[in-house]
Amino acid sequence: MGGCALLQSAKSQSQLELTIQQFNDREVTGYVQPLGDFLGANMNAGFYHASAIPANGFHFEIELVGVASVIGEQHKVYDAALPAGFTPAGGSYKTATVFGGKGTVFRDASSGLEYKGSDGLVRASIFPLLIPQATIGSIFGTEIVFRFMKTPQLSQRWYPTESTLLGGGIRHSISQYFPNPEVDIAIGGFYSTFELGDVIHVQAKTITFSAGKTFSLVTLYVGMGYEWSTMHLHYDYKGEGGSTPRLADVTIEGANRFRATGGLMIDLQAFRIFADANFGNVQHFAGGIGFGF
């Protein structure tokens, strides 16, 4: 894959980690950029599904939030730089990202040499993330949201050995300052980190504004968010013919900056069901179920 040597010492790592370690720090970005985009967008989703926050009074809810980013055709290929010695010098060719199919074989018209890009590892139309979440409130119209997830190695061969997600934030009611508001309004700020094996570390931050209105058991809500995410890759790379590994230290910015959210929640007292759609540079959906009092 990509004409690079495989690190033999990483026997316990996943195929995703091993594949990433075949790229040097200049080549890896295009291959994994969609992964960073999806992880960042997913981590910033699902923090709210209503805008009503009591001014005071204890409430506690445990939720299971599922998030899925849509993998489009544009996420399956990227323009990879041709290696030295291929013509045109400094040129590029289209090949598979981590979500693509077989890597493209480029044949140099002058020398006849061939170069094959790395194969994709994920064959899917969505990229999911399942997140346990707890919400605690409320003091002066403020509640705290907390997330934690730790998984062992999963069955997919591309998935890292283990993953750990930790995150949280606060939400505050704005509508409490208005007499008899027609809609509930809230703002929030959230931060999350996600460790994927030994190679990948993701950070995500978002500031949200949401408004909602309840009709009997159904709450309709809309929201806007401004967000950031970064995926940090840290690994040893050893190129062809090299005996000394070189440290690759790469930071990749996620594509999402703004999002618009629309959804609904059904409150059945003992539990709640919610679902929403999110639109930005990454299109994704969130939904789940919560239990609380």
Side-chain angles (χ1 to χ4, degrees), residues 1-4 22-23 27 80-84 86 93 95 103-108 112-118 240:
M1 294 182 181
C4 301
Q22 297 178 60
F23 291 89
E27 300 169 338
L82 289 172
F86 282 74
Y93 70 109
T95 189
T104 301
V105 177
F106 178 84
R107 182 181 177 85
D108 191 295
L113 293 175
E114 292 186 345
Y115 183 85
K116 182 180 183 299
S118 294
E240 286 186 2

Side-chain angles (χ1 to χ4, degrees), residues 30 77 127 150 162 175 177 191 194 196 240 242 255 275 288 290:
V77 294
F127 182 78
K150 189 174 182 67
E162 65 177 23
S175 52
Y177 301 112
Y191 173 79
F194 199 11
L196 292 162
E240 286 186 2

Side-chain angles (χ1 to χ4, degrees), residues 119-204:
D119 295 337
L121 296 175
V122 183
R123 309 289 193 272
S125 57
I126 61 170
F127 182 78
L129 190 62
L130 192 63
I131 308 169
Q133 178 170 290
T135 302
I136 305 171
S138 147
I139 299 176
F140 302 116
T142 302
E143 63 184 14
I144 298 173
V145 181
F146 177 74
R147 291 176 165 184
F148 177 75
M149 177 189 69
K150 189 174 182 67
T151 66
Q153 184 172 4
L154 300 181
S155 59
Q156 296 96 325
R157 69 184 181 92
W158 63 271
Y159 211 87
T161 304
E162 65 177 23
S163 62
T164 303
L165 183 147
L166 181 65
I170 61 172
R171 297 180 65 234
H172 183 73
S173 171
I174 300 301
S175 52
Q176 67 176 319
Y177 301 112
F178 299 94
N180 303 315
E182 291 294 325
V183 297
D184 299 302
I185 302 172
I187 58 173
F190 309 95
Y191 173 79
S192 303
T193 64
F194 199 11
E195 299 280 355
L196 292 162
D198 299 323
V199 172
I200 302 173
H201 175 72
V202 185
Q203 298 182 62

